[in-house]
Amino acid sequence: MTEPNQDRAVQILLPREKIAQRVRELGAEIARDYRGRTPHLVGVLKGAWVFMADLVRQLDLDVTVDFLGIASYGAGTNSSGEVKITKDLDVSIEGRDVLIVEDILDTGHTFKFLQEILSLHQPHSVKLVTLLDKTSRRVLPVHADYVGFQIPDVFVVGYGLDFNQQYRQLPDVRVMRSQDSV
Ligand code: PRP
């Protein structure tokens, strides 16, 4: 089992069992809502890949999947509001029921950007499922259609989420000590 370095001492906010239970609930809810349709899941790299891999296996539905690479400028813990595409979609979303899969919804800049660029390609619908939602940090008036957990304004890592590209492999969601996440 990989554990974080002792000197970074991060504490568990969401243990893996609690995440797994919530992902099962989200999968059931999404499968009910999309019954009879084939949603197109778009995972936002890199943070969403762990959550998406677990979520897709809880969907009793036909689905297709794709990935979009997105990066915010800057390597710190605050989103600057500037977003760029690092990997485009591979297949057309025209007429599709797109379900964006995110690890975290924070200021809302990324989701707003995604709504704007994806709508240019005439999807039938665009919804968002996010594992984590930090509503207290929201700058833009956007909301997720499906939320795993509302979390406080703490810097979290693990289950796909990083700090300077580290910690994504941790099975639990953990809180970074504030002096680590400057
Ligand atoms: C995270 C997350 C979202 C975005 C949300 O990505 O995956 O895409 O931030 O923040 P916002 O609501 O303030 O825009 P990050 O930039 O950390 O990249 P990563 O997914 O590669 O870790």
Side-chain angles (χ1 to χ4, degrees):
M1 180 80 50
T2 307
E3 294 295 339
N5 297 334
Q6 288 300 310
D7 63 345
R8 306 296 282 197
V10 288
Q11 295 185 327
I12 294 179
L13 178 68
L14 300 170
R16 65 201 76 179
E17 299 82 7
K18 192 171 177 181
I19 297 170
Q21 174 59 31
R22 187 70 188 116
V23 172
R24 280 195 290 275
E25 292 169 1
L26 284 172
E29 187 182 350
I30 291 167
R32 267 199 311 276
D33 291 353
Y34 284 88
R35 184 65 58 211
R37 292 183 283 164
T38 302
H40 187 58
L41 273 60
V42 174
V44 183
L45 298 172
K46 300 193 264 299
W49 113 91
V50 176
F51 173 46
M52 184 158 163
D54 284 346
L55 179 67
V56 75
R57 286 176 287 175
Q58 297 300 326
L59 294 177
D60 183 18
L61 278 179
D62 288 332
V63 302
T64 54
V65 301
D66 202 350
F67 294 92
L68 197 52
I70 295 287
S72 302
Y73 289 105
T77 62
N78 286 304
S79 168
S80 65
E82 291 187 78
V83 180
K84 63 178 176 180
I85 294 177
T86 56
K87 181 216 165 290
D88 208 345
L89 295 174
D90 288 336
V91 295
S92 170
I93 58 168
E94 187 175 344
R96 300 299 308 274
D97 290 306
V98 174
L99 181 60
I100 300 170
V101 182
E102 270 283 25
D103 52 336
I104 189 164
L105 178 57
D106 191 349
T107 64
H109 285 298
T110 305
F111 182 41
K112 185 82 167 69
F113 172 79
L114 289 173
Q115 284 179 317
E116 287 171 359
I117 59 157
L118 294 183
S119 68
L120 299 176
H121 300 279
Q122 278 99 42
H124 179 256
S125 65
V126 176
K127 289 190 174 183
L128 171 67
V129 54
T130 185
L131 178 72
L132 307 176
D133 191 356
K134 269 191 200 176
T135 49
S136 63
R137 293 252 311 160
R138 199 78 86 250
V139 171
L140 298 174
V142 296
H143 72 277
D145 300 278
Y146 305 95
V147 175
F149 301 95
Q150 297 279 353
I151 62 166
D153 186 11
V154 290
F155 195 85
V156 287
V157 297
Y159 200 71
L161 291 105
D162 76 307
F163 173 63
N164 283 348
Q165 303 303 326
Q166 294 185 62
Y167 304 111
R168 294 190 195 273
Q169 81 282 6
L170 299 177
D172 311 293
V173 171
R174 292 172 179 255
V175 180
M176 296 287 293
R177 288 183 306 174
S178 57
Q179 60 264 42
D180 293 334
S181 54
V182 289

